[in-house]
Amino acid sequence: MVYYLKEVRIIKQILTAAKALFENAKQNISLLANASAFINQEIEKINWVGFYLYLDDKLCLGPFQGKPACEVINLNEGVCGFAFKEQKLTNVPDVEQFEGHIACDNASKSELVIPLTKDNFKIGVLDVDSPILNRFDPKTVELLKQIAELVVKYYKL
Ligand code: SME
């Protein structure tokens, strides 16, 4: 119980810190750059985190942390294309089992992709990779979902 309450407190602190960081962003590139740096700092055991933005019917690489990554993803490709096209949070416990997965960093073993939409405008996706199989447990998914919601809230259309 004590451990659980401590965890809840930590999650609240992380979300409060995220809000404080995001709400003052003057423009979207700063917002997304700091959001990827923030997630990289706060979430353990990840090797890549960043944004792909919807442009000309493709997903284009946006601000990220990690190794250089593929610049353009077609909507019929990869976990990112799938999650965006279906507009569905996609949690892949083992990327080798996902047909069409695009390996930007061979270290990536599991992946979480969260579509970002604001007022019917499709912004793109948040993509997080981990070097550990099945990294994205329900608590981590929930936390990343809430951080993604804050990004959407402060994203300017
Ligand atoms: N693995 C992704 C491609 C982007 S990298 O992970 C940074 C995919 O399959 O869509």
Side-chain angles (χ1 to χ4, degrees), residues 48-50 52 59 61 64 67-70 73 77-82 95 98 100-105 108 111 113 127-129:
W48 199 93
V49 50
Y52 277 93
L59 291 169
L61 184 63
F64 70 94
K67 287 192 179 170
C70 51
I73 299 178
E77 290 173 354
V79 185
C80 291
F82 173 84
V95 293
F98 189 98
H101 166 258
I102 303 165
C104 291
D105 180 347
S108 299
E111 179 162 3
V113 181
D127 180 19
V128 194
D129 288 12

Side-chain angles (χ1 to χ4, degrees), residues 57-156:
D57 219 29
K58 292 177 172 58
L59 291 169
C60 298
L61 184 63
F64 70 94
Q65 302 265 305
K67 287 192 179 170
C70 51
E71 201 186 327
V72 176
I73 299 178
N74 292 312
L75 298 190
N76 58 356
E77 290 173 354
V79 185
C80 291
F82 173 84
F84 182 82
K85 216 165 56 180
E86 299 294 321
Q87 286 294 295
K88 187 172 146 199
L89 181 148
T90 305
N91 188 355
V92 180
D94 178 356
V95 293
E96 283 188 13
Q97 305 303 318
F98 189 98
E99 209 189 312
H101 166 258
I102 303 165
C104 291
D105 180 347
N106 281 336
S108 299
K109 297 276 183 271
S110 58
E111 179 162 3
L112 179 75
V113 181
I114 304 176
L116 307 173
T117 299
K118 181 166 186 162
D119 301 341
N120 293 325
F121 177 83
K122 292 178 178 143
I123 299 169
V125 299
L126 168 64
D127 180 19
V128 194
D129 288 12
S130 171
I132 292 169
L133 286 170
N134 207 4
R135 164 67 185 91
F136 299 100
D137 56 276
K139 279 181 195 158
T140 306
V141 172
E142 188 52 38
L143 178 57
L144 285 166
K145 252 174 78 177
Q146 292 195 40
I147 294 174
E149 278 167 20
L150 284 173
V151 170
V152 167
K153 179 172 178 188
Y154 293 108
Y155 191 92
K156 293 176 177 60

Side-chain angles (χ1 to χ4, degrees), residues 19-39:
K19 181 176 179 290
L21 185 64
F22 302 168
E23 69 188 352
N24 293 318
K26 296 278 177 286
Q27 44 113 343
N28 290 331
I29 291 178
S30 322
L31 170 69
L32 300 182
N34 260 342
S36 60
F38 183 81
I39 293 170

